[in-house]
Amino acid sequence: MSLIRDDGSLEPSWAQSLFARIIKRGKIPRHVAFIMDGNRRYAAKKQVVKLEGHSKGFDKLAEALKWCQDLGVEEVTVYAFSAENFKRSKDEVDGLMELARQKFERIMSEKEKLEEHGVCIKIVGEMKLLASDIQEIAAKIENVTKLNHKCRLNICLAYTSRLEISAAIREIATGVEQGILLPEDITEDLITKTLEIPTVDLLIRTSGEVRLSDFLLWQSSFSYLSFLKPLWPEFSIWDFYGSVLQYQRAFDKIENAKEYSNINTLEPADGENDVSANYARVDAFLKNLKLERGGINTDILST
Ligand code: FPP
Ligand code: MG
């Protein structure tokens, strides 16, 4: 099944449209993340093989992406395969990788559709842990979708948050080593901007598990966390709307908490009078980083 379902099969009912209009009067989360948990329990419940559960999980991702786009969510991040998942049985890992391969090929064959819907896709994780053909197709997808700017989808594959944070710290250390940055330039804000995935507003995990499982730990410091009972393939638009409503109710409280948190600001380096030189170095570092990451312009969403 396609990632972009524009065949009319996902058109909202009148009740869903009405509810969406009500939700749109409130604050819409800019960035929503999903821990798509419960595929194997779903497969067991339906007495089908595990991979069928994961395949239904992909179909649900296509639905969730459409619900997000219809509400005007600009960025969606999904946990498709954690680096920890490599510890699962060889059969399941091979099956999931084959599913990723097939879905990526389908995504590539539908690049015009992605362009039409303005979907930019980024695959984030330890690429070197993936087979070379998957790495190649992932790079192609990123390249052909990098100028699409209505919605960004980050697919986390062979990912853990601690690996992502470690990679960002290494990039910053290299920047210092090369003289682009000084140690004084390292702030929370710089780390946030060096990570591949930006701050999350609403994080949803299905299947009743109440934990983050090493997903977006830095980015979810001030997210609204929504832990829901349904298994991922059973997750419905009403469950999604419920989470967005909860986010809207918590919005003011979260914004207040954010205001008091940002204390780790720039300090002028020795011999410098103000922080303008820090800003210039940080700017140069981030521009360089963007180029090294394939020139994908992360500013496009705010334009
Ligand atoms: C967690 O459920 C789900 C996964 C580890 C895989 C998620 C993958 C997909 C939804 C397919 C996405 C594919 C692409 C290419 C984006 P689980 O296996 O932990 O199930 P359980 O909690 O019931 O054991
Ligand atoms: Mg699970």
Side-chain angles (χ1 to χ4, degrees):
M1 202 176 276
S2 170
L3 177 66
I4 305 296
R5 300 264 298 274
D6 59 358
D7 55 359
S9 60
L10 291 183
E11 280 323 299
S13 65
W14 72 265
Q16 289 163 355
S17 300
L18 179 69
F19 214 79
R21 276 211 297 278
I22 295 168
I23 290 178
K24 281 185 185 171
R25 297 174 78 149
K27 181 78 189 164
I28 298 298
R30 196 201 74 77
H31 183 185
V32 177
F34 294 102
I35 302 181
M36 310 183 285
D37 198 16
N39 292 347
R40 296 185 300 183
R41 275 167 282 167
Y42 174 83
K45 194 167 151 184
K46 297 285 172 189
Q47 297 182 316
V48 293
V49 293
K50 284 177 195 158
L51 200 60
E52 185 55 28
H54 293 310
S55 176
K56 285 278 181 286
F58 181 85
D59 300 345
K60 186 57 66 176
L61 163 59
E63 279 186 60
L65 185 63
K66 167 111 176 49
W67 304 335
C68 285
Q69 284 200 285
D70 286 352
L71 277 193
V73 171
E74 291 176 13
E75 185 150 5
V76 175
T77 299
V78 294
Y79 211 178
F81 192 87
S82 88
E84 285 285 305
N85 289 152
F86 280 111
K87 291 182 188 152
R88 292 188 176 188
S89 73
K90 184 173 178 330
D91 269 2
E92 190 182 349
V93 173
D94 289 351
L96 270 165
M97 288 300 148
E98 187 51 35
L99 182 68
R101 192 174 275 116
Q102 284 171 15
K103 296 302 178 187
F104 285 174
E105 275 163 12
R106 176 87 189 247
I107 289 171
M108 255 322 266
S109 72
E110 294 182 331
K111 57 178 197 280
E112 288 82 13
K113 215 158 136 175
L114 289 162
E115 194 178 328
E116 192 189 319
H117 291 266
V119 181
C120 163
I121 299 180
K122 179 100 183 72
I123 291 103
V124 183
E126 287 291 299
M127 290 296 123
K128 60 180 186 291
L129 299 178
L130 300 170
S132 55
D133 63 324
I134 298 186
Q135 292 182 37
E136 261 169 48
I137 192 150
K140 278 186 194 155
I141 290 175
E142 290 187 1
N143 198 36
V144 298
T145 63
K146 70 182 177 190
L147 295 177
N148 300 345
H149 61 273
K150 279 195 197 133
C151 178
R152 185 185 186 97
L153 171 66
N154 303 306
I155 300 176
C156 295
L157 209 57
Y159 172 93
T160 69
S161 188
R162 290 190 290 189
L163 284 171
E164 188 200 8
I165 293 168
S166 311
I169 304 286
R170 278 198 299 276
E171 308 257 25
I172 292 171
T174 307
V176 173
E177 206 174 67
Q178 293 172 340
I180 305 172
L181 289 172
L182 290 179
E184 290 85 340
D185 303 329
I186 304 172
T187 60
E188 288 178 19
D189 189 52
L190 177 66
I191 297 174
T192 300
K193 287 176 176 153
T194 306
L195 292 169
E196 291 205 59
I197 302 175
T199 300
V200 171
D201 300 301
L202 168 62
L203 187 150
I204 299 175
R205 180 176 192 151
T206 54
S207 92
E209 300 292 339
V210 183
R211 55 203 160 87
L212 289 176
S213 300
D214 212 343
F215 185 51
L216 306 176
L217 301 179
W218 183 281
Q219 295 91 334
S220 64
S221 303
F222 293 95
S223 306
Y224 185 80
L225 306 178
S226 181
F227 296 102
L228 303 175
K229 283 265 154 53
L231 304 172
W232 174 251
E234 295 172 335
F235 178 57
S236 74
I237 192 168
W238 296 112
D239 298 320
F240 175 61
Y241 285 168
S243 294
V244 176
L245 277 177
Q246 285 175 0
Y247 161 82
Q248 292 183 334
R249 266 192 229 120
F251 182 75
D252 289 343
K253 226 181 197 176
I254 294 175
E255 287 306 297
N256 276 341
K258 274 187 202 165
E259 246 176 60
Y260 290 106
S261 80
N262 206 358
I263 48 170
N264 179 215
T265 47
L266 282 172
E267 295 283 340
D270 281 348
E272 289 176 354
N273 298 327
D274 59 38
V275 291
S276 55
N278 305 61
Y279 281 119
R281 284 190 296 271
V282 166
D283 203 45
F285 170 75
L286 293 172
K287 279 201 175 115
N288 204 24
L289 194 65
K290 204 180 275 183
L291 284 178
E292 278 173 11
R293 287 180 179 165
I296 294 167
N297 185 357
T298 48
D299 293 338
I300 51 175
L301 289 169
S302 53
T303 55

